[in-house]
């Protein structure tokens, strides 16, 4: 008796734009992805770039003010010594986490739907971590002395950095994360750069892509080692990505500030990071998919999978909020209790309730399949989630600080235009970098999509159901027995 | 692949489908043909096994690099905080090993990743400015390209190998290439 399991949704669809309805071939994959690299930039790209550069320009002005006049330009005061800067830092680092989750954790879990989104998500990770780094540098006040955070011998009698401090752990965590993500991303790019090199007609392009593709020839030996490298890097990146946001949360959790001094922080921060990261991936990918006509590769199935992760992590974050609140009451510590009541009903109530609405209520729409597969709902909610996650960091940081142990020092934090401008600078940088990436490098990993094309396209799935699975099975089993013999 | 001075003669067979390629590789090797290399647009599962390549030792290299990172990180932190400039913080131990875990972990990962990738690039002769030896440029697009060095297959004539390739499903007439 033959038992056929329900076939999974195909990862690659038939042709949609040209030769509508025909099966997508390997060559189509190459053409579709290389086209945007080879063609002149289209008008939508130019408009996007112009807006990004204007934002970047304005942000550069405020960043210049921060650099030359110091962080007195910000809205910080004696009571609230960390606010906008660290909020943005944590927000950007969190966004970065989705890229590593897609490229590393989903690889270990053999989730094949990662293949068409991993490249762009990893690029997003790198740019987001660079944005986060901007705030770390600037909040030091004298950014040109940033290297003091490294354990270097110095003229002050070799006074080393303090390895007991989470801030030093952060230096190591963030820089390792950036380096490893960059390496992982670039190794994945090499085969695709070789494809572009072989297609390039312009000698300058051929030279540049030739240089970038490191002389890749796609031999079986290289591929086998490449896969080994990808697997080990994924195995290394998985604990790395979890450690990074854990260490970021230690910046708060190891202090004695009510509202920060919480053991739940590491898992709560990691879930929140993945939550906001996936939202950013969706925001970017839905636009990229539309502009570059990538519908056959980034299907509704991909979007649905990402929305499921948003639903899961969003719900974890929701439970964490409630747990925190419960523990504040249960601890019996009046300062803890006050910190949480102040969050909900104090002067920053609007930030707290924005966070609750955006992060806990809005993802619940994704319980419904129709919502998960609706592009407009997904796009809107992806932005809502990122607003919510920004407020989460703002709530944690500012509301815990602004009313400290001495009521006479209670005060409020309001951002200045320089605060806002510095945030816009990172936005400008992020989108400029992403647009440059999307123009000059392949946004979808061609080699990996080709690797799943045969087993998971619309026609293979159909073929698998309709035509004699018995025969297929016989062939497969004979192949595998031969293989074991050979081994 | 280093370029030798004497040009070598290769026979290049082109396949359209991995499911034709794999049986062909098996049968050609079974009949005694030595395959120089197969070039594919994406990693074909277990192709290296069928070609008889040994399992890569890169994971071992990664472990060694990682262990070096662990050791260096522990030594560095112990030296700096324990011996070079011990600080009395509330009478606590200078060597607070639990506090050294995060940095030790990060350096382990960093060295393992960078070391393994460097080993990968060096062992495959990859790097900026390296030239790829392409038997057919379509092997980075949609074709599976098999290269057979004629000199290393003395027991067969060129015709015989061509015949074998045609029998096992090449999509185009095998062509000769000198490298």
């Amino acid at each position: 008796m033959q038992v056929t399991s329900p076939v999974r949704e195909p990862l690659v669809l038939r042709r949609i734009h040209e030769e509508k309805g025909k099966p997508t071939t390997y060559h189509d994959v190459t053409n579709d992805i290389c086209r945007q690299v080879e063609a002149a930039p289209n008008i939508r790209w130019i408009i996007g770039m112009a807006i990004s550069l204007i934002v970047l320009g304005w942000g550069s002005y405020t960043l210049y003010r921060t650099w030359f006049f110091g962080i007195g330009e910000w809205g910080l005061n004696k009571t609230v010594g960390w606010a906008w800067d660290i909020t943005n830092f944590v927000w950007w680092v969190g966004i970065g986490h989705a890229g590593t989750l897609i490229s590393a954790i989903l690889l270990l879990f053999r989730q094949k739907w990662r293949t068409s989104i991993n490249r762009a998500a990893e690029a997003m990770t790198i740019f987001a971590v660079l944005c986060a780094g901007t705030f770390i540098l600037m909040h030091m006040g004298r950014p040109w002395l940033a290297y003091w955070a490294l354990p270097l011998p110095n003229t002050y009698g070799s006074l080393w950095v303090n390895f007991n401090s989470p801030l030093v752990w952060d230096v190591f965590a963030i820089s390792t994360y950036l380096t490893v993500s960059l390496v992982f991303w670039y190794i994945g790019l090499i085969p695709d750069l070789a494809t572009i090199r072989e297609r390039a007609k312009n000698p300058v392009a051929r030279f540049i892509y030739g240089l970038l593709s490191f002389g890749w020839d796609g031999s079986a030996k290289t591929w086998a080692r490449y896969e080994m490298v990808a697997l080990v890097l994924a195995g290394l990146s998985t604990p790395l990505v979890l450690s990074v946001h854990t260490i970021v949360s230690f910046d708060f959790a190891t202090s004695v500030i009510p509202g920060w001094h919480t053991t739940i922080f590491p898992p709560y921060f990691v879930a929140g990071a993945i939550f906001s990261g996936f939202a950013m991936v969706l925001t970017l990918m839905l636009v990229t998919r539309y502009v570059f006509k990538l519908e056959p590769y980034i299907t509704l199935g991909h979007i649905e999978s990402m929305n499921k992760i948003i639903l899961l992590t969003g719900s974890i974050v929701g439970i964490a909020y409630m747990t925190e609140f419960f523990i504040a009451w249960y601890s019996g510590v009046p300062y803890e209790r006050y910190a949480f009541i102040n969050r909900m009903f104090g002067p920053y109530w609007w930030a707290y309730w924005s966070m609750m609405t955006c992060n806990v209520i809005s993802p619940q729409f994704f319980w419904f399949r129709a919502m998960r597969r609706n592009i407009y709902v997904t796009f809107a909610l992806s932005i809502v989630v990122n607003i919510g996650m920004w407020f989460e960091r703002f709530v944690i940081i500012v509301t815990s600080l602004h009313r400290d142990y001495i009521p006479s020092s209670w005060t409020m934090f309001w951002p200045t235009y320089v605060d806002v401008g510095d945030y816009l600078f990172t936005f400008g940088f992020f989108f400029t970098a992403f647009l440059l990436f999307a123009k000059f490098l392949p946004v979808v990993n061609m080699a990996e999509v080709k690797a799943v094309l045969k087993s998971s396209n619309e026609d293979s799935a159909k073929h698998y159901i309709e035509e004699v699975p018995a025969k297929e099975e016989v062939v497969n089993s004979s192949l595998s027995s031969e293989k074991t013999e050979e081994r | 692949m280093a370029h030798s001075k004497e040009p070598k003669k290769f026979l290049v067979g082109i396949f359209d489908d991995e499911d034709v390629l794999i049986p062909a590789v098996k049968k050609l090797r079974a009949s005694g043909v030595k395959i120089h290399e197969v070039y594919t647009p994406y990693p074909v599962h277990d192709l290296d096994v069928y070609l008889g390549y040994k399992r890569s030792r890169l994971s071992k290299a990664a472990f060694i690099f990682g262990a070096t990172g662990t050791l260096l990180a522990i030594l560095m932190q112990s030296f700096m905080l324990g011996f070079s400039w011990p600080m009395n913080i509330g009478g606590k131990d200078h060597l607070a090993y639990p506090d050294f875990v995060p940095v030790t972990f990060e350096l382990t990962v960093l060295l393992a990743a960078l070391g393994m990738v460097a080993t990968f690039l060096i062992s495959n002769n990859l790097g900026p400015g390296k030239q790829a030896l392409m038997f057919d440029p379509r092997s980075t697009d949609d074709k599976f390209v098999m290269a057979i060095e004629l000199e290393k297959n003395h027991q067969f004539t060129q015709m015989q190998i061509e015949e074998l390739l045609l029998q096992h499903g090449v999509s185009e007439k095998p062509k000769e290439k000198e490298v």
Side-chain angles (χ1 to χ4, degrees):
Chain A
M1 200 184 82
Q2 288 295 323
V3 182
T4 316
S5 67
V7 171
R8 281 168 196 247
E9 205 174 324
L11 294 174
V12 184
L13 301 180
R14 292 206 189 103
R15 310 297 297 148
I16 292 174
H17 296 287
E18 298 139 27
E19 301 177 311
K20 203 169 179 313
K22 283 206 178 153
T24 300
T25 62
Y26 295 133
H27 190 57
D28 290 332
V29 177
T30 316
N31 274 344
D32 287 352
I33 311 299
C34 290
R35 188 182 300 126
Q36 34 87 15
V37 179
E38 290 159 354
N42 69 23
I43 190 73
R44 295 187 194 122
W45 186 88
I46 293 170
I47 293 170
M49 196 67 181
I51 297 171
S52 305
L53 285 174
I54 290 168
V55 174
L56 185 69
W58 166 244
S60 302
Y61 169 68
T62 59
L63 207 68
Y64 146 80
R65 288 198 69 95
T66 317
W67 185 285
F68 279 91
F69 302 105
I71 50 176
E73 293 280 305
W74 290 351
L76 300 176
N77 48 55
K78 273 177 85 175
T79 311
V80 186
W82 265 5
W84 195 268
D85 49 345
I86 305 298
T87 301
N88 295 335
F89 158 68
V90 180
W91 189 74
W92 277 119
V93 172
I95 282 174
H97 279 46
T100 322
L101 184 110
I102 290 170
S103 57
I105 301 184
L106 295 186
L107 187 142
L108 295 185
F109 282 101
R110 300 179 186 217
Q111 294 296 305
K112 297 224 162 111
W113 58 271
R114 56 179 271 286
T115 51
S116 63
I117 49 170
N118 59 359
R119 167 77 43 76
E122 283 172 41
M124 181 200 78
T125 294
I126 291 159
F127 305 143
V129 175
L130 288 173
C131 290
T134 312
F135 289 102
I136 288 296
L137 283 182
M138 296 317 287
H139 102 298
M140 291 177 167
R142 288 186 285 171
W144 50 92
L145 299 179
Y147 68 91
W148 283 10
L150 300 172
L152 298 170
N154 54 59
T155 49
Y156 307 111
S158 279
L159 179 62
W160 305 102
V161 294
N162 184 0
F163 287 106
N164 305 308
S165 160
L167 298 177
V168 170
W169 302 346
D170 237 5
V171 172
F172 282 86
I174 303 285
S175 48
T176 301
Y177 184 47
L178 178 64
T179 316
V180 174
S181 303
L182 198 63
V183 166
F184 201 174
W185 179 67
Y186 199 79
I187 289 290
L189 263 170
I190 292 174
D192 283 2
L193 291 171
T195 305
I196 300 177
R197 171 195 73 206
E198 292 305 320
R199 284 168 59 98
K201 296 196 179 73
N202 175 343
V204 178
R206 197 179 164 87
F207 174 74
I208 292 172
Y209 286 106
L211 214 57
L212 294 176
S213 62
F214 282 14
W216 176 270
D217 58 2
S219 66
K221 188 171 265 166
T222 320
W223 273 123
R225 288 173 178 167
Y226 166 94
E227 287 209 291
M228 177 69 88
V229 168
L231 186 67
V232 176
L233 277 181
L236 289 169
S237 301
T238 299
L240 176 66
V241 68
L242 301 180
S243 84
V244 169
H245 230 58
T246 300
I247 291 173
V248 168
S249 81
F250 284 167
D251 293 346
F252 306 100
T254 56
S255 72
V256 289
I257 308 292
W260 286 5
H261 189 60
T262 319
T263 49
I264 200 179
F265 262 26
Y268 159 32
F269 267 51
V270 170
I274 292 165
F275 181 53
S276 65
F278 266 86
M280 188 58 103
V281 172
L282 278 169
T283 312
L284 290 176
M285 289 319 281
L286 287 176
V287 177
T288 314
R289 175 181 188 261
Y290 170 70
V291 173
F292 292 147
K293 299 181 177 164
L294 297 174
E295 289 90 343
Y297 310 106
I298 300 165
T299 66
L300 287 180
H302 287 91
I303 294 167
E304 187 180 4
S305 303
M306 286 192 264
N307 282 334
K308 282 179 184 164
I309 292 184
I310 288 192
L311 175 61
L312 172 72
T313 48
S315 304
I316 295 175
V317 167
I319 290 170
Y321 294 158
M322 287 175 236
T323 312
E324 252 188 338
F325 201 72
F326 170 77
I327 293 293
W329 167 77
Y330 188 67
S331 69
V333 179
Y335 304 107
E336 280 286 334
R337 287 184 179 182
Y338 180 73
F340 280 86
I341 289 176
N342 183 45
R343 269 185 198 180
M344 285 173 117
F345 305 112
Y348 285 114
W349 62 271
W350 44 271
Y352 182 84
W353 292 107
S354 309
M355 158 188 114
M356 283 306 250
T357 321
C358 297
N359 289 354
V360 185
I361 299 169
S362 76
Q364 305 307 323
F365 286 108
F366 287 144
W367 285 107
F368 304 102
R369 185 179 152 91
M371 296 286 181
R372 289 197 298 267
R373 298 179 75 90
N374 184 317
I375 290 172
Y376 302 102
V377 172
T378 304
F379 188 71
L381 285 184
S382 72
I383 290 169
V384 168
V385 164
N386 264 322
I387 294 172
M389 284 308 292
W390 189 87
F391 273 116
E392 179 199 294
R393 278 65 180 253
F394 183 81
V395 164
I396 292 174
I397 294 168
V398 175
T399 67
S400 305
L401 287 176
H402 85 120
R403 292 192 163 172
D404 63 6
Y405 294 104
I406 308 166
S408 65
S409 65
W410 286 8
T411 180
M412 296 289 282
F413 165 82
W414 298 110
T416 63
Y417 81 98
V418 177
D419 274 309
V420 179
D422 286 355
Y423 188 38
L424 288 178
F425 170 83
T426 51
F427 264 101
F429 171 77
F430 182 76
F431 285 106
T432 307
F434 191 83
L435 284 165
L436 285 174
F437 154 73
K439 175 65 197 75
F440 293 107
L441 296 171
V443 280
V444 169
N445 192 330
M446 292 185 271
E448 289 198 0
V449 168
K450 285 175 195 167
V452 298
L453 177 66
K454 189 146 192 240
S455 57
S456 186
N457 65 62
E458 254 179 299
D459 299 277
S460 69
K462 196 159 149 266
H463 163 84
Y464 199 78
I465 307 170
E466 286 173 0
E467 281 175 37
V468 273
K471 189 180 151 200
E472 282 247 351
E473 211 160 86
V474 171
V475 173
N476 282 338
S477 66
S478 73
L479 270 178
S480 61
S481 67
E482 274 176 55
K483 206 162 91 184
T484 37
E485 274 165 35
E486 235 168 278
R487 275 180 198 272
Chain B
M1 262 159 286
H3 293 258
S4 54
K5 278 153 205 150
E6 284 288 302
K8 290 176 183 168
K9 258 176 130 186
F10 289 90
L11 203 60
V12 182
I14 290 173
F15 295 81
D16 277 353
D17 192 330
E18 59 170 295
D19 290 342
V20 180
L21 171 76
I22 297 248
V25 167
K26 283 196 245 174
K27 288 186 183 135
L28 280 168
R29 288 194 73 218
S31 50
V33 178
K34 291 191 189 76
I35 298 173
H36 172 68
E37 184 56 288
V38 178
Y39 301 86
T40 60
Y42 58 85
V44 174
H45 195 59
D46 276 342
L47 180 60
D48 54 319
V49 176
Y50 297 125
L51 283 168
Y53 296 151
K54 275 186 229 144
R55 192 169 182 277
S56 163
R57 287 170 299 172
L58 275 168
S59 50
K60 283 175 195 149
F63 178 80
I64 294 167
F65 282 113
T68 314
T70 313
L71 197 69
L72 282 178
I74 292 174
L75 288 177
M76 174 183 79
Q77 295 175 89
S78 309
F79 164 73
M80 288 176 182
L81 292 196
F83 300 99
S84 171
W85 191 280
M87 276 185 290
N88 188 339
I89 304 169
K92 290 176 198 163
D93 280 350
H94 300 138
L95 294 173
Y97 284 108
D99 283 357
F100 297 168
V101 169
V103 171
T104 308
F105 171 76
E106 301 301 334
L107 286 181
T108 304
V109 169
L110 184 68
L111 258 76
L114 292 183
M116 180 186 53
V117 168
T119 315
F120 166 71
L121 293 178
I122 292 166
S123 66
N124 284 302
N125 196 26
L126 294 172
K130 301 277 184 193
Q131 290 298 317
L133 173 67
M134 301 301 289
F135 286 93
D136 190 311
R138 290 172 299 169
S139 71
T140 60
D141 178 8
D142 59 346
K143 301 289 182 205
F144 304 79
V145 174
M146 184 191 286
I148 297 168
E149 194 178 339
L150 291 172
E151 244 178 66
K152 289 194 179 157
N153 288 290
H154 283 307
Q155 69 272 45
F156 300 101
T157 62
Q158 189 172 340
M159 282 295 283
Q160 278 174 318
I161 299 174
E162 268 180 43
E163 200 64 32
L164 275 170
L165 280 170
L166 285 168
Q167 254 175 38
H168 294 126
V170 283
S171 59
E172 297 165 18
K173 192 178 175 316
K175 52 184 183 182
E176 239 178 77
K177 191 168 166 114
E178 279 192 5
V179 176

